[in-house]
């Protein structure tokens, strides 16, 4: 299965690393442009870009997905699936339609609860004792596509956004591998 991976922060790294370890083929990794960091405001690559470069995967860093040059560039690829993990951009319709298996998102909640931004923070703020991670097909809405697989995770009393995020990112990596394998076998029933 040939993939394009879209992600930026550390939360996305375990999924990218796990997919690389499982020998999925990558056409491209898309991440946000490098940003100024530190006292000298030197450009710093995103955690996802650092992993992709180390693995020898081509990296593309568009500022906007709707830019005509971005559309033209990405339309040359014919991936089986586009994996989206904490990328930070709404995926446009033309990109949703590009891959055979669609765009698969890893979302840090048990959808449909806590759609949109900051699902981990909201689970903690609202005092949830259970949360989880969901793989879903992206559609034009905001986290409204069909759900594929879910895993529940206990929210511990001592959890912070950082600790819960770290656990969910590792569990999510396994869930994404299972999702892609299940889609290939045809044994996942989207809900």
């Amino acid at each position: 299965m040939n993939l394009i991976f879209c992600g930026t922060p550390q939360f996305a790294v375990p999924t990218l690393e796990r997919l690389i370890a499982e020998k999925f083929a990558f056409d491209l990794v898309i991440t946000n442009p490098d940003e100024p960091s530190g006292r000298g405001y030197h450009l710093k690559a995103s955690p996802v870009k650092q992993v992709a470069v180390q693995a020898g995967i081509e990296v593309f860093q568009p500022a906007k997905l709707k830019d005509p040059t971005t559309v033209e560039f990405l339309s040359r690829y014919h991936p089986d699936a586009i994996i989206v993990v904490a990328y930070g951009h709404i995926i446009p319709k033309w990109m949703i339609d590009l891959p055979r298996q669609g765009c698969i998102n890893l979302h840090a909640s048990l959808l449909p609860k806590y759609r949109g931004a900051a699902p981990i923070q909201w689970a903690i703020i609202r005092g949830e004792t259970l949360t989880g991670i969901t793989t879903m097909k992206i559609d034009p809405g905001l986290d409204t596509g069909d759900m594929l697989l879910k895993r529940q995770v206990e929210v511990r009393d001592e959890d912070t956004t950082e600790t819960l995020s770290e656990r969910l990112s590792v569990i999510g990596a396994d869930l994404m591998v299972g999702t892609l394998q299940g889609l290939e076998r045809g044994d996942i029933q989207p809900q």
Side-chain angles (χ1 to χ4, degrees):
M1 182 179 276
N2 283 0
L3 305 176
I4 289 177
F5 186 91
C6 300
T8 300
Q10 181 60 40
F11 184 85
V13 167
T15 301
L16 179 57
E17 289 176 335
R18 182 71 195 281
L19 294 172
I20 291 168
E22 292 290 328
K23 307 291 187 215
F24 283 92
F26 287 89
D27 292 330
L28 186 67
V29 166
I30 303 172
T31 190
N32 285 338
D34 297 352
E35 292 190 355
S37 177
R39 286 185 175 186
Y41 292 100
H42 299 289
L43 290 180
K44 183 176 180 182
S46 73
V48 164
K49 179 181 179 180
Q50 293 172 34
V51 170
V53 168
Q54 186 176 15
I57 302 169
E58 182 182 0
V59 176
F60 181 55
Q61 297 178 272
K64 295 180 182 179
L65 292 175
K66 291 184 179 182
D67 183 88
T69 57
T70 299
V71 175
E72 181 185 337
F73 178 78
L74 290 178
S75 294
R76 292 184 271 182
Y77 291 89
H78 303 285
D80 296 307
I82 296 176
I83 308 306
V84 181
V85 183
Y87 178 44
H89 296 268
I90 293 176
I91 306 300
K93 177 88 168 90
W94 70 266
M95 196 168 159
I96 293 169
D97 295 337
L98 188 63
R100 171 178 67 85
Q101 292 281 11
C103 293
I104 312 299
N105 183 41
L106 183 67
H107 186 78
S109 79
L110 294 172
L111 289 172
K113 200 168 196 175
Y114 302 126
R115 285 193 276 211
I120 296 169
Q121 292 87 338
W122 281 115
I124 291 171
I125 289 167
R126 298 244 168 102
E128 299 288 350
T129 57
L130 282 178
T131 189
I133 196 116
T134 305
T135 54
M136 59 168 288
K137 287 234 181 166
I138 294 176
D139 70 7
L142 183 59
D143 298 330
T144 58
D146 289 345
M147 295 176 291
L148 302 170
L149 295 178
K150 293 182 181 186
R151 291 287 182 277
Q152 282 189 345
V153 175
E154 181 184 354
V155 179
R156 300 172 186 154
D157 289 341
E158 68 275 7
D159 265 330
T160 63
T161 297
E162 186 176 313
T163 61
L164 186 53
S165 178
E166 187 176 322
R167 282 202 331 277
L168 288 171
S169 70
V170 172
I171 293 166
D174 292 337
L175 192 64
M176 184 59 76
V177 169
T179 298
L180 292 174
Q181 291 169 342
L183 287 172
E184 276 293 280
R185 289 188 308 264
D187 60 8
I188 291 181
Q189 298 299 318
Q191 298 179 13

